[in-house]
Amino acid sequence: MTQLAGLTRLGRTTVSNALNQAEVPSARTVARMAKALRLNQEELLELRRQAAAEREEPDEPQLPGPAETDETPDPAVEDATVPEGAPAPGGRTGPVTLPPLAKEFTGRAGELRDILDRLDPAASASRPADVPSGTARPATVVVSAVMGMGGVGKTALALQAAHRTRLRGWFPGGILFANLYGYSPHQERTPGEVADQFLGALGVRSADIPVTAQGKLDTWRIVLDRLTAEGRPLLVVLDNVRSAGQVSALLPQPPHRGLVTSRHSLPALQGHCVHLAPLTPQEAVDLVQQVLCAGGIRDDRVSAEPEAAARLAELCGYLPLALEIIAALLRSEPSRSLESQTEELTAARNRLSVIEIEETDAESRPMAVRASFELSYRHLTEPQAAAFRLLAAAPGPDVSSAAVAALLGDPGSRRLLAELSRAHLLTGSRDRWSMHDLIRLYAEEQGDAHSDGDRRDAALTRLLEHYRTISAEADTHLTGVPGNRSPRFGGRRQALEWLDAEHTNLVAAATAAPQLGHPSVAVALAGSLSHYLGHRRYFDDWITLSTIARDVSGEDGDLTGEGTALDNLGLGLRHLRKFEKAVAAHTEAAGIFRQLGDRGREVLALNHIGIALSEQGRTDKAIAAYTRAREILALTGDQPHLTASVVGNLGAALREAGRYEEAITAHTQAAETFRRIRDESEEGAALTSLGGVLQHVGRYKEAIDAHSRAVRIHARLDDPHREAAALNNLGGAWELTGRTKEAISAFTGAAEIFRALGDQYSEALALSNLGDALRQTDPEEAVSTLTRAARILRESGADGYEARVSHSLGKVLLALGRNEEAVTVFSRAALLCRGSGDHGNEGASLLGSADALDAADRPDEAADSCAQAAAAFERAGDDPARGWALTNLAGALLSAGRTGEALSAADAALEHNRRVVTDESVEYTHVLAHSLMLLAWLREEEQQNLPGSLSAAMEAAGLLTPLAAAQPETFAARLREALEQWAHVLDLLHRTREAGEVRRRLERMDRGQA
């Protein structure tokens, strides 16, 4: 108490009274306590205002306060109508027949605010936010209808809103509540019965209430008019309404308000609707915690098992009723862990039986989710019920309207979907339909019981055939030439859009098809989705479907199907870099096709073996596989298309082997063959490969010509994906010729096309190239471009490429002097490379980080980064790079003032670099020269072994002299530094004549450059 008084700067007595006395504390006290305890000040002031209003209404029964109900008003609901300290509305107040608030309530802040905004009498003279300017306020009744599936918490929300309006004194005419029993074991109530109830509550004598239903309703309207004249608006809460007809005659006109709850959308009411979805994950967990701890019980299971609590909420579908039931069950077993309850619920087929307790609610309804759904289901017509049951049988998380038409065998099924949606048994968005998980389980139970009557097998057959047929037609736009493409889609983009929308359902359909008695559909979908899954990089799905197709074909004795599936399986495995398994799958496929005498498919499998071996770095074996494929083709006769494909891939392997002229010949032959057989698409692909080799050997003009021809071909064929790939390669060729403007244009075009196609991975690669090109002309734009590329690659999980882009980004940031940002980016790149085992690039990024740290005046950290880089290069087996890192380590230690350590590191670097020069080409001598110069400077600085310093400087100059002659723009400045150092050490040794000779050499260098 004393500590709290000190924090709040309030007296100890004031704090004690605020916490313990019945009086409402002042606003100042509440505000200071909120600030000291870091609580929501607005929430506490709202509670204070409500408490003050309660105590000023002695004639009404008092509502339980927050301490009694455990109910905490939502901080998002602000009271701007009744100012703090204002007296309760004076005059006569009407009856309030609201049931008490539920003790457990959480979330719904936005919905509660929306309802209160609509119920506020002060809003009657203003235009609602959703009514356009210039539009008159509707004269119809203002209704906030709370709608949603059973168990979603409609009544609890409506009562929260109604009780809030009472505390704010909005309805002096009274607040009347009636349950219409629209979805209840009880008999539905008629409008006349409810009118009779309301009239009695308002004090109309029984003798004055007419006998007929119409008379009761007329009297009800007369009473409402009288209240309007007295300036005493009234709120009517009509709960559990099944149809508009039940309540339309009861709803009052403004200034009165009506609040309706229903499982149905009730469009005929033409009121404002608040559609309730399940709770958010956090709100759901909070509700479980509230139930477990109700009545002051201490229960730490939610905080002790947060992951199990989150999973429990998920398994309950975030549905309040389900959560309350499960929490009540857990409350009755305080020693049971949440994990144990989660494991029980995970058995999905048994889940609905678990989520029930042997109790009933206030309307005699069983406390069971299944029973709640039953109350909605029994009001469906037979066509609606049949559709509801069949929809649950559809594989996948949702279903399109077109697929529903196939499933139900009814092109006009959209009306049924809309009716189920209005009943909140189905959710529709953008022509796609889905069910809440628990509703789907209930629908599946009903479907199993009515499968024969619904002819479920025939319905699923229609749906699977729908998926099989359209998938095959979409595939023609990914693989076929123009004349063979299905007219169902307007082009490749439309086909991809359909495949993207149906992707999850198609995989689910293919997976379920064998168990549903349609194994051939699984095989067909695996084949027609192969190109799409590869294109979108859904490699796990590709492997799954190919494995299913392999097993199904093997069981049926279909060797051709089994071999094809194995070949596709190998492709998926290769993309996941599981090269050994990929080669094994392709090899098994080749053996099957050899056994069948299908030499064409055998060659295709050998072709894929070569690709996998090549990507694994086993180039010689890849060349052998391609050569074997060519030999078979030579024996089988004229198969020009397959021959050209094999020769093109052989060219790629020859390039990897450094046999560039042979590679150029192979790619040229492939391009010419494709041109001869008029396969322009593959001709363009071959030209792209040819351009890449020509570019590599420095024949840039020819490379640009090949890439440009490829761009034109793919543009003419309306193949934007290959057009973009060719543009990307063309940009690289332009950049190598110094034509940066043209390169930027090509890279930009490629990125824009990939973006339009939705191929974010390829877009990121194009953006990476664009960013590298922009470094020369617009570094700030380069930063923006490379940042976007890195973000896309991070989201795609492409760690290797993200590391490469991050490294490029780090270099631009370093050049711009944005050193701290560069450190972050280089560190990210190093981390990614370490995770993927790419220790060479890890070391390069660590050296970049060291440069940025040094520029940021953090030399000690720079030295650590250099040491880590040296270790990474050692793991990579890259001795030259390790020597460079060791040399930089010595320089970083020198910058940190750790001269002794720097000298020791320089000695180690020099020793390492001498060994490397012995084994490596002369190109590495500049690193040795750099380490010699560093050692010479350190010995001079420490005045240690000046003759040794002189020797190191002389050797460095000797190494740099031929390098400067060959590449003056790179090494002339470094040679000048070595000569200056040589002359300076001679001066220190008092060998003035020799120092003068060295300086004259420097002068000759300057004159030669001039």
Side-chain angles (χ1 to χ4, degrees):
M1 189 79 70
T2 302
Q3 186 180 7
L4 183 55
L7 288 171
T8 58
R9 298 182 182 179
L10 296 169
R12 193 173 185 278
T13 302
T14 302
V15 173
S16 177
N17 289 340
L19 296 176
N20 301 311
Q21 300 301 315
E23 291 81 14
V24 177
S26 71
R28 171 176 169 272
T29 300
V30 171
R32 286 201 174 182
M33 292 182 71
K35 183 176 180 181
L37 297 174
R38 297 182 180 179
L39 300 176
N40 187 305
Q41 181 173 318
E42 292 302 320
E43 177 185 4
L44 293 181
L45 288 173
E46 167 67 11
L47 280 169
R48 182 195 174 280
R49 283 192 289 269
Q50 293 181 9
E54 273 189 314
R55 284 175 171 78
E56 291 167 357
E57 293 177 351
D59 295 334
E60 293 188 35
Q62 294 297 300
L63 290 171
E68 297 175 69
T69 63
D70 293 328
E71 188 274 325
T72 302
D74 195 295
V77 182
E78 298 178 359
D79 187 355
T81 305
V82 181
E84 183 184 344
R92 204 153 40 94
T93 58
V96 175
T97 64
L98 292 172
L101 284 171
K103 291 186 178 182
E104 291 78 35
F105 183 82
T106 186
R108 308 299 193 201
E111 294 90 342
L112 189 52
R113 184 189 305 111
D114 187 11
I115 293 173
L116 290 172
D117 286 346
R118 298 285 172 166
L119 295 180
D120 186 354
S124 61
S126 62
R127 185 180 63 254
D130 56 358
V131 177
S133 178
T135 302
R137 185 178 182 88
T140 56
V141 62
V142 178
V143 178
S144 293
V146 182
M147 299 167 188
M149 72 178 88
V152 80
K154 299 179 294 297
T155 300
L157 175 60
L159 289 177
Q160 284 285 330
H163 278 287
R164 299 289 174 93
T165 68
R166 179 200 172 191
L167 291 173
R168 298 179 184 189
W170 283 357
F171 298 105
I175 303 175
L176 304 180
F177 176 90
N179 189 335
L180 277 294
Y181 298 125
Y183 296 90
S184 170
H186 297 288
Q187 178 70 35
E188 289 183 17
R189 300 184 69 187
T190 67
E193 290 172 342
V194 177
D196 189 280
Q197 172 191 330
F198 285 170
L199 291 170
L202 289 169
V204 180
R205 295 182 306 170
S206 300
D208 295 332
I209 299 176
V211 177
T212 65
Q214 186 59 52
K216 296 177 193 293
L217 292 170
D218 290 341
T219 305
W220 165 241
R221 282 189 284 272
I222 292 170
V223 172
L224 290 173
D225 288 343
R226 185 174 69 239
L227 290 172
T228 300
E230 294 172 357
R232 298 169 60 215
L234 171 145
L235 172 64
V236 174
V237 182
L238 301 168
D239 186 37
N240 205 3
V241 174
R242 191 170 68 85
S243 67
Q246 271 188 297
V247 295
S248 57
L250 293 167
L251 289 170
Q253 295 288 333
H256 309 295
R257 293 290 189 273
L259 181 57
V260 177
T261 76
S262 176
R263 299 188 184 193
H264 201 279
S265 292
L266 306 179
L269 286 184
Q270 299 180 349
H272 175 68
C273 294
V274 178
H275 292 281
L276 284 196
L279 298 172
T280 66
Q282 185 56 55
E283 290 169 349
V285 171
D286 290 345
L287 181 56
V288 172
Q289 174 76 357
Q290 284 186 21
V291 177
L292 290 177
C293 297
I297 293 176
R298 178 169 181 173
D299 193 313
D300 299 326
R301 282 179 284 183
V302 169
S303 58
E305 302 178 72
E307 293 182 2
R311 176 62 177 151
L312 193 69
E314 180 185 6
L315 289 169
C316 288
Y318 310 116
L319 196 65
L321 175 61
L323 292 162
E324 290 173 6
I325 292 171
I326 286 298
L329 290 170
L330 285 165
R331 186 180 166 97
S332 67
E333 295 184 77
S335 62
R336 185 176 190 180
S337 69
L338 300 189
E339 182 63 34
S340 170
Q341 182 67 77
T342 300
E343 290 173 358
E344 184 179 11
L345 282 175
T346 301
R349 283 286 180 176
N350 190 43
R351 200 178 309 164
L352 294 181
S353 297
V354 174
I355 309 176
E356 61 179 42
I357 53 179
E358 294 182 1
E359 294 182 13
T360 58
D361 64 12
E363 299 176 25
S364 301
R365 294 177 300 192
M367 290 293 288
V369 170
R370 180 189 284 113
S372 177
F373 296 157
E374 169 67 26
L375 294 171
S376 292
Y377 174 72
R378 72 184 187 183
H379 289 290
L380 298 178
T381 65
E382 182 48 39
Q384 291 170 351
F388 174 68
R389 296 189 294 263
L390 287 174
L391 284 167
D398 63 4
V399 64
S400 69
S401 296
V404 173
L407 177 72
L408 303 183
D410 179 7
S413 57
R414 177 144 195 140
R415 182 171 180 178
L416 283 173
L417 294 172
E419 291 166 347
L420 290 172
S421 178
R422 284 194 292 271
H424 289 91
L425 293 171
L426 198 63
T427 301
S429 177
R430 297 185 179 181
D431 211 33
R432 304 195 69 82
W433 309 86
S434 61
M435 288 180 176
H436 185 275
D437 289 348
L438 296 181
I439 288 181
R440 184 169 188 140
L441 288 175
Y442 176 78
E444 287 175 354
E445 289 182 353
Q446 299 302 315
D448 289 343
H450 296 82
S451 60
D452 292 339
D454 292 340
R455 301 188 63 192
R456 187 169 64 185
D457 289 345
L460 287 172
T461 299
R462 290 192 298 269
L463 178 63
L464 293 175
E465 286 301 321
H466 167 82
Y467 285 145
R468 187 216 301 250
T469 300
I470 302 183
S471 295
E473 291 178 321
D475 188 46
T476 63
H477 289 270
L478 274 61
T479 60
V481 295
N484 296 329
R485 293 173 184 163
S486 167
R488 179 185 290 272
F489 299 101
R492 177 188 178 90
R493 188 170 306 169
Q494 282 189 12
L496 281 171
E497 286 174 356
W498 184 86
L499 288 165
D500 286 339
E502 297 290 359
H503 159 233
T504 308
N505 291 332
L506 293 171
V507 172
T511 304
Q515 287 73 39
L516 296 174
H518 297 276
S520 63
V521 172
V523 175
L525 285 173
S528 59
L529 292 176
S530 179
H531 294 97
Y532 167 75
L533 295 173
H535 172 68
R536 285 293 194 236
R537 304 180 66 78
Y538 295 135
F539 302 131
D540 289 328
D541 288 339
W542 195 359
I543 290 170
T544 296
L545 297 197
S546 297
T547 301
I548 292 171
R550 178 201 64 187
D551 295 344
V552 168
S553 298
E555 291 171 3
D556 290 346
D558 178 4
L559 288 177
T560 298
E562 184 179 1
T564 301
L566 278 165
D567 207 28
N568 282 330
L569 175 60
L571 295 174
L573 291 165
R574 173 171 63 83
H575 281 292
L576 287 181
R577 303 186 67 80
K578 298 179 179 180
F579 297 118
E580 293 295 341
K581 291 183 178 180
V583 170
H586 291 312
T587 301
E588 188 176 354
I592 289 174
F593 293 132
R594 189 179 308 117
Q595 175 186 344
L596 292 171
D598 189 338
R599 308 311 294 270
R601 283 194 170 93
E602 180 188 356
V603 167
L604 192 61
L606 287 168
N607 196 24
H608 293 153
I609 290 172
I611 296 172
L613 289 167
S614 184
E615 291 190 9
Q616 194 180 11
R618 298 162 66 184
T619 308
D620 291 341
K621 289 187 177 296
I623 292 172
Y626 294 132
T627 302
R628 173 59 182 157
R630 290 185 72 179
E631 291 171 352
I632 294 173
L633 287 168
L635 294 174
T636 58
D638 189 30
Q639 294 192 57
H641 194 283
L642 189 54
T643 299
S645 177
V646 171
V647 169
N649 288 330
L650 174 60
L654 290 167
R655 173 184 171 176
E656 290 298 319
R659 295 158 62 176
Y660 300 120
E661 291 304 321
E662 293 176 78
I664 291 171
T665 299
H667 287 311
T668 301
Q669 179 184 338
E672 289 175 349
T673 301
F674 285 128
R675 184 184 309 115
R676 176 171 57 82
I677 64 177
R678 297 183 178 179
D679 187 340
E680 289 187 283
S681 182
E682 290 303 320
E683 178 193 352
L687 286 169
T688 294
S689 298
L690 173 61
V693 187
L694 291 168
Q695 188 173 313
H696 186 79
V697 298
R699 292 161 63 176
Y700 300 133
K701 183 177 179 182
E702 296 171 80
I704 289 170
D705 178 65
H707 289 316
S708 298
R709 287 166 60 195
V711 170
R712 289 194 296 272
I713 287 173
H714 296 311
R716 184 171 64 251
L717 294 177
D718 188 27
D719 188 344
H721 199 274
R722 281 186 166 178
E723 178 189 356
L727 274 170
N728 202 23
N729 289 317
L730 176 60
W734 281 123
E735 188 173 16
L736 288 170
T737 63
R739 303 279 291 275
T740 305
K741 182 178 179 181
E742 289 85 347
I744 289 172
S745 176
F747 290 139
T748 301
E752 288 175 349
I753 293 173
F754 284 133
R755 186 179 306 124
L757 292 173
D759 185 350
Q760 289 192 311
Y761 178 80
S762 297
E763 178 195 353
L765 299 186
L767 287 171
S768 171
N769 292 333
L770 175 59
D772 287 338
L774 286 167
R775 287 167 58 185
Q776 305 173 43
T777 60
D778 190 346
E780 293 291 349
E781 184 62 26
V783 168
S784 175
T785 301
L786 290 170
T787 300
R788 173 170 168 74
R791 183 172 63 252
I792 293 172
L793 291 167
R794 185 178 307 123
E795 292 169 354
S796 302
D799 291 353
Y801 282 109
E802 184 196 343
R804 172 194 150 195
V805 173
S806 295
H807 188 85
S808 296
L809 176 58
K811 291 198 290 187
V812 185
L813 290 167
L814 183 59
L816 288 170
R818 294 163 62 175
N819 303 317
E820 296 296 344
E821 295 173 78
V823 170
T824 300
V825 171
F826 278 128
S827 299
R828 168 73 178 170
L831 182 65
L832 291 169
C833 291
R834 187 179 310 133
S836 63
D838 185 359
H839 299 300
N841 282 318
E842 176 192 354
S845 294
L846 286 166
L847 284 182
S849 182
D851 289 340
L853 287 164
D854 184 61
D857 197 24
R858 295 159 62 183
D860 289 299
E861 294 170 81
D864 290 341
S865 193
C866 288
Q868 293 175 41
F873 288 130
E874 184 175 19
R875 289 193 295 272
D878 189 339
D879 280 339
R882 180 167 179 250
W884 185 251
L886 290 170
T887 303
N888 284 2
L889 171 60
L893 290 168
L894 178 61
S895 297
R898 296 156 63 180
T899 313
E901 294 174 75
L903 188 57
S904 176
D907 280 326
L910 179 60
E911 181 181 353
H912 177 88
N913 289 332
R914 286 195 187 284
R915 287 199 306 269
V916 173
V917 167
T918 303
D919 299 331
E920 299 292 328
S921 68
V922 73
E923 293 177 1
Y924 188 72
T925 55
H926 71 285
V927 182
L928 175 60
H930 182 65
S931 60
L932 284 163
M933 290 170 62
L934 185 61
L935 184 61
W937 195 93
L938 282 163
R939 286 173 173 171
E940 174 193 332
E941 181 73 11
E942 291 292 291
Q943 292 292 304
Q944 293 183 9
N945 189 9
L946 284 178
S949 176
L950 175 64
S951 175
M954 292 172 62
E955 185 179 355
L959 292 170
L960 288 167
T961 297
L963 295 176
Q967 301 179 53
E969 69 283 355
T970 303
F971 294 110
R974 184 58 58 87
L975 173 59
R976 184 178 291 102
E977 291 176 14
L979 291 170
E980 289 173 346
Q981 191 172 30
W982 182 1
H984 182 64
V985 178
L986 286 169
D987 284 336
L988 293 175
L989 291 171
H990 308 291
R991 296 163 62 174
T992 309
R993 184 180 60 80
E994 295 172 78
E997 290 177 359
V998 175
R999 290 194 171 92
R1000 282 190 289 277
R1001 181 176 171 184
L1002 279 167
E1003 292 171 359
R1004 288 194 297 273
M1005 279 186 66
D1006 292 337
R1007 287 196 298 273
Q1009 286 187 346

